[in-house]
Amino acid sequence: MKLLCVLLLSVVAVSHALNGFSTNFRTNLHREPFYQSPVRSNAVETKWIEQKLDNFNESDSRTWQMRYLENAEHHKPGGPMFIYVGGEWTVSPGSISGGHWYDMAKELNGILFYTEHRYYGSSHPTADMSYKNLEWLSVDQALADLAHFITAMKKTRPELKNSGVVMLGGSYSATMVTWFRLKYPHLVDGVWSSSAPLYAKMDFVEYKEIMSEAIHLVGGEKCHEIFREAYAEMEKLVAEGNPSRINDELKLCSPLNTTNQLDVWNMFSELSDNVAGLVQYATVASIENACDALMNPRYRDALEAYAAWTVGRLNGKCFSHEYSAFVNNLRQTKWNDDAMRQWMYQTCTEFGWYQTSGSPNQPFGSSFPIDLYKLMCRDIYDESLTSNQLEANAQRINALYGGLTPNMTNVYFTHGQLDPWRAMGRQVDLNEDAMAVVIPLIAHVADTGSLSSENNPELIDSKKRIQGLVKQWLNVKSHFA
């Protein structure tokens, strides 16, 4: 049961249980990263814009309705367009009614937009999500949607005709705004790219390595060793064909069949994603609190401590570990509130980013190799998604968008030190007009909130820097005639 994200990526806003009595952890990694406490969210309107199904085929006249949100409460004619770009999630009003982006728009009398990515949320280009109908789900198409959005706004709304345009993205959508500035520089003046993975890679071993570093840094050596010892014990029990303790202590929905390699791989992948959720979206003291729970002296060994902590995150449900259940769930083609089918498709056809156990420099064992995710692509979608095809898809993305060295300006890359996604992103300046920073002790897309005295000094400096850059990109005076 694995996805990444991300995005990601990503993906998404809500956890999707396989049934009413079971749960998995993978979807928690793909959720809306920007959400702020609503500030006058009644000022946010939901609107729709017509988009072409295939932006690159002039003979195809089919269209669909893309949802976007708009907040014009502080806008004055000529004020800039502040665009949040949605990724593999459902857009929500809170993200453009609070936070640092909102604050900057307010200061500059800007209008805020929040665009929803095709195939996610309520933006449904096709009747269902059959493999055939997923053909038009790609970052290329989504970027073209954004290009049409901007040109249409400027053409149909006189008060925006001469407005400057800046964009913000986080996780996969940060990848999008980076590539949008690269591909459509005439349509956007500058972009803030928070936690963007830029390099497409199948075997993303670095994700677990940075998870390991973050736990060690924040939680300490003893906590780190509990994870290592717990996973080592579970792998030992599986090798011995003796899973009864795993079944009981981890509250598996059905007994683990240790001879079913896919179930074993999937279980370890899902368990590691539970820990990934802790690290990727770490908040103040969240890792420390988890480590305190794991190091409680009442537990007789590391596995008992780890199992108790894991079960506590199941919210009273059992843990669904079976590979077939996960695959069958993602084969469902009707539109639903989950975004796993769509996001998994994008990882198979474009990015990879499979967070595997392929490195020895992490404490989560070696039982979720790249082969697991390659099989998922074929089993969920189509046999044409062979290993060679998956590699070719990732290579295409890097060739098209430049990997870690895109030739561009007017972008500000920010990453959190604790964020495992930063390994696939730009962590040092690209040039004098494309700067990057890694902010100590913050997590994935954790720098978009309003400036606060509670922020660490490096985070405050970064937020002040983006304020200055936005004004520089917009050449503010020229847009307020």
Side-chain angles (χ1 to χ4, degrees):
M1 299 175 177
K2 169 102 186 164
L3 206 321
L4 20 182
C5 216
V6 171
L7 280 90
L8 251 246
L9 330 147
S10 318
V11 202
V12 235
V14 292
S15 177
H16 178 72
L18 295 177
N19 58 58
F21 304 99
S22 65
T23 193
N24 56 71
F25 299 110
R26 201 162 279 130
T27 52
N28 289 327
L29 293 177
H30 301 284
R31 68 192 195 204
E32 183 181 22
F34 307 123
Y35 181 78
Q36 310 291 336
S37 298
V39 177
R40 293 194 60 191
S41 59
N42 61 326
V44 178
E45 297 181 77
T46 298
K47 296 186 176 183
W48 302 83
I49 184 172
E50 187 174 54
Q51 296 279 10
K52 288 192 65 177
L53 177 63
D54 189 342
N55 288 297
F56 310 111
N57 183 356
E58 289 300 321
S59 65
D60 189 340
S61 61
R62 289 174 292 177
T63 62
W64 59 284
Q65 295 294 314
M66 184 183 90
R67 184 170 70 152
Y68 68 96
L69 306 181
E70 177 181 320
N71 185 344
E73 63 180 315
H74 302 296
H75 183 236
K76 293 181 181 179
M81 297 169 62
F82 281 74
I83 302 175
Y84 261 124
V85 173
E88 73 282 22
W89 55 80
T90 301
V91 299
S92 67
S95 290
I96 55 170
S97 52
H100 198 41
W101 201 239
Y102 170 89
D103 297 338
M104 286 189 280
K106 179 180 179 180
E107 178 189 1
L108 299 178
N109 301 125
I111 186 170
L112 287 151
F113 294 105
Y114 191 5
T115 56
E116 192 163 72
H117 194 298
R118 56 169 57 204
Y119 288 85
Y120 295 100
S122 298
S123 296
H124 301 164
T126 54
D128 60 24
M129 295 185 288
S130 64
Y131 180 65
K132 180 180 179 181
N133 278 341
L134 290 175
E135 176 183 348
W136 302 280
L137 172 55
S138 70
V139 69
D140 304 340
Q141 294 281 2
L143 295 179
D145 291 341
L146 289 173
H148 176 255
F149 178 84
I150 293 171
T151 55
M153 288 297 115
K154 290 188 168 236
K155 182 178 181 180
T156 61
R157 297 177 62 164
E159 75 276 20
L160 299 177
K161 181 180 179 180
N162 297 314
S163 294
V165 179
V166 287
M167 285 181 167
L168 165 64
S171 193
Y172 163 54
S173 80
T175 308
M176 291 176 64
V177 302
T178 304
W179 293 346
F180 189 85
R181 170 65 187 167
L182 178 70
K183 192 172 183 180
Y184 301 97
H186 59 294
L187 294 178
V188 62
D189 295 288
V191 300
W192 177 11
S193 178
S194 177
S195 303
L198 299 177
Y199 185 75
K201 182 181 182 183
M202 289 295 296
D203 199 358
F204 183 10
V205 299
E206 295 88 348
Y207 187 97
K208 301 302 179 185
E209 291 178 338
I210 295 180
M211 279 177 58
S212 175
E213 293 172 10
I215 293 169
H216 198 278
L217 175 66
V218 179
E221 175 67 23
K222 184 176 180 181
C223 180
H224 184 272
E225 282 307 301
I226 288 175
F227 284 106
R228 184 178 298 280
E229 291 171 12
Y231 276 81
E233 180 63 19
M234 287 188 288
E235 289 187 329
K236 176 175 175 289
L237 292 171
V238 169
E240 293 172 349
N242 181 25
S244 58
R245 188 178 177 196
I246 295 174
N247 296 334
D248 295 341
E249 294 194 22
L250 285 166
K251 306 298 182 188
L252 269 57
C253 298
S254 58
L256 174 65
N257 179 358
T258 57
T259 65
N260 185 327
Q261 188 175 59
L262 290 178
D263 281 0
V264 171
W265 284 353
N266 194 63
M267 179 189 74
F268 279 104
S269 168
E270 187 73 23
L271 288 171
S272 74
D273 279 349
N274 178 33
V275 187
L278 171 71
V279 176
Q280 181 170 304
Y281 292 109
T283 57
V284 175
S286 60
I287 295 177
E288 295 94 326
N289 291 340
C291 287
D292 286 344
L294 287 163
M295 293 186 292
N296 191 312
R298 69 177 180 173
Y299 298 119
R300 69 180 185 273
D301 62 13
L303 178 52
E304 183 180 27
Y306 173 78
W309 175 76
T310 302
V311 168
R313 291 165 67 85
L314 287 170
N315 296 318
K317 298 179 180 180
C318 63
F319 169 36
S320 177
H321 72 283
E322 293 181 349
Y323 177 82
S324 60
F326 177 71
V327 166
N328 288 336
N329 189 54
L330 263 64
R331 283 176 176 163
Q332 303 304 308
T333 62
K334 291 182 179 179
W335 293 106
N336 56 61
D337 292 334
D338 194 357
M340 288 291 285
R341 178 170 172 82
Q342 302 97 299
W343 178 245
M344 188 74 185
Y345 175 84
Q346 286 197 262
T347 66
C348 295
T349 58
E350 299 184 288
F351 311 125
W353 293 334
Y354 299 117
Q355 301 149 17
T356 74
S357 59
S359 169
N361 301 317
Q362 47 84 22
F364 309 107
S366 58
S367 297
F368 44 107
I370 187 61
D371 288 348
L372 169 65
Y373 310 100
K374 291 179 178 179
L375 284 168
M376 284 180 178
C377 290
R378 295 180 63 183
D379 289 345
I380 294 167
Y381 303 106
D382 192 80
E383 290 186 357
S384 64
L385 294 172
T386 63
S387 178
N388 288 340
Q389 185 60 55
L390 298 180
E391 292 286 355
N393 293 340
Q395 289 173 14
R396 170 193 173 274
I397 289 293
N398 290 329
L400 189 61
Y401 294 107
L404 293 175
T405 54
N407 184 16
M408 63 185 302
T409 60
N410 290 18
V411 58
Y412 183 46
F413 299 107
T414 60
H415 294 279
Q417 181 187 21
L418 304 182
D419 181 15
W421 283 102
R422 66 178 168 85
M424 293 295 103
R426 186 76 197 184
Q427 300 183 68
V428 296
D429 291 355
L430 184 62
N431 55 59
E432 63 181 7
D433 296 311
M435 294 174 285
V437 64
V438 177
I439 304 167
L441 297 177
I442 72 163
H444 190 61
V445 199
D447 60 339
T448 58
S450 296
L451 261 169
S452 169
S453 60
E454 295 180 1
N455 297 155
N456 67 41
E458 295 87 354
L459 180 53
I460 290 173
D461 288 346
S462 180
K463 289 180 179 181
K464 289 182 177 179
R465 178 186 280 188
I466 189 61
Q467 282 181 310
L469 286 171
V470 165
K471 292 175 183 178
Q472 176 184 313
W473 295 334
L474 291 171
N475 188 17
V476 170
K477 292 181 181 179
S478 69
H479 291 291
F480 290 88

